[in-house]
Amino acid sequence: MLITVSILVLAYMILGKNANVAEQLEKIKNIDWRKHINALMDKLRPWALKAGRVAARPLLQFYYVMDDDKTSTLDRALIYAAIAYTILPIDFIPSVVYKFMGILDDGMAMLYVYKKIKNKITPEINAKVEETLNEWFGVEYETIE
C-alpha cells in the first residue's frame, strides 16, 4: 500500500493536484517508516551495485533524508516514491517498450523530488552517502595534480 500511495502522491504533486495529496497522506500518517526505510535499503543496494556509484549517489541522498527524524510525511512519501519508482520494475512509461521516453519519467520523478528536498541534504547526510558508497564500491581516491 505504501508504494501505491507514495507514487500517487508524487504523481499528484507533479501534476499540481495538491488537493488530492492530503487525502492520500491521511492513509499513511501512522505508517511504521523505520520498517519501510530498512526494507528499501535492502532493495537499493543490489540496484546500486548494477547501476554504479554515480547513479546510486542521489538515491542514497534521498534515502538518508527520508531516514532523518525531521523529515515530514509528505517528503518521506515523495522520496519513497522516487526511490521505488527508480529501482523497482514498475513504470508508467516502460523503458523496454519506449526506450528513451521510459527513462525520462524516472528522471522527471527524481528531479522533482530533488528540487523539493535539496535543502535537506546536509553535509552530515553527504558524509553518510560517501561512507555507504565507499563500503559498496570501495574508496574513491582523488588524484593530486
Side-chain angles (χ1 to χ4, degrees):
M1 173 174 113
L2 180 60
I3 290 175
T4 304
V5 170
S6 295
I7 289 176
L8 276 174
V9 167
L10 178 58
Y12 287 145
M13 293 290 291
I14 289 172
L15 296 171
K17 307 275 187 200
N18 297 349
N20 298 357
V21 170
E23 179 183 325
Q24 295 303 318
L25 289 176
E26 189 64 28
K27 295 176 184 177
I28 59 171
K29 71 178 182 180
N30 295 321
I31 199 112
D32 177 7
W33 281 102
R34 179 66 33 225
K35 177 180 91 171
H36 291 285
I37 289 169
N38 291 339
L40 195 57
M41 180 58 95
D42 292 342
K43 291 177 177 58
L44 181 56
R45 187 173 192 270
W47 178 90
L49 292 175
K50 289 179 190 172
R53 186 182 193 103
V54 172
R57 181 173 279 108
L59 291 180
L60 282 170
Q61 288 172 321
F62 285 7
Y63 172 84
Y64 285 115
V65 170
M66 185 173 57
D67 192 38
D68 189 331
D69 292 334
K70 295 175 275 190
T71 302
S72 70
T73 300
L74 172 60
D75 287 343
R76 280 189 171 145
L78 291 172
I79 294 166
Y80 190 84
I83 294 173
Y85 195 68
T86 301
I87 68 174
L88 298 176
I90 54 173
D91 264 327
F92 291 120
I93 304 172
S95 55
V96 172
V97 177
Y98 298 103
K99 306 291 182 219
F100 185 68
M101 290 299 293
I103 295 170
L104 278 179
D105 70 326
D106 289 0
M108 186 173 75
M110 292 288 295
L111 184 59
Y112 181 85
V113 173
Y114 179 77
K115 284 182 169 187
K116 288 288 212 190
I117 61 106
K118 69 182 175 186
N119 63 329
K120 294 177 172 70
I121 300 171
T122 64
E124 293 79 19
I125 285 176
N126 278 328
K128 288 180 186 178
V129 168
E130 289 308 314
E131 183 180 316
T132 303
L133 289 171
N134 288 340
E135 180 185 315
W136 291 354
F137 295 100
V139 176
E140 196 172 66
Y141 295 100
E142 292 184 28
T143 59
I144 299 173
E145 295 182 27

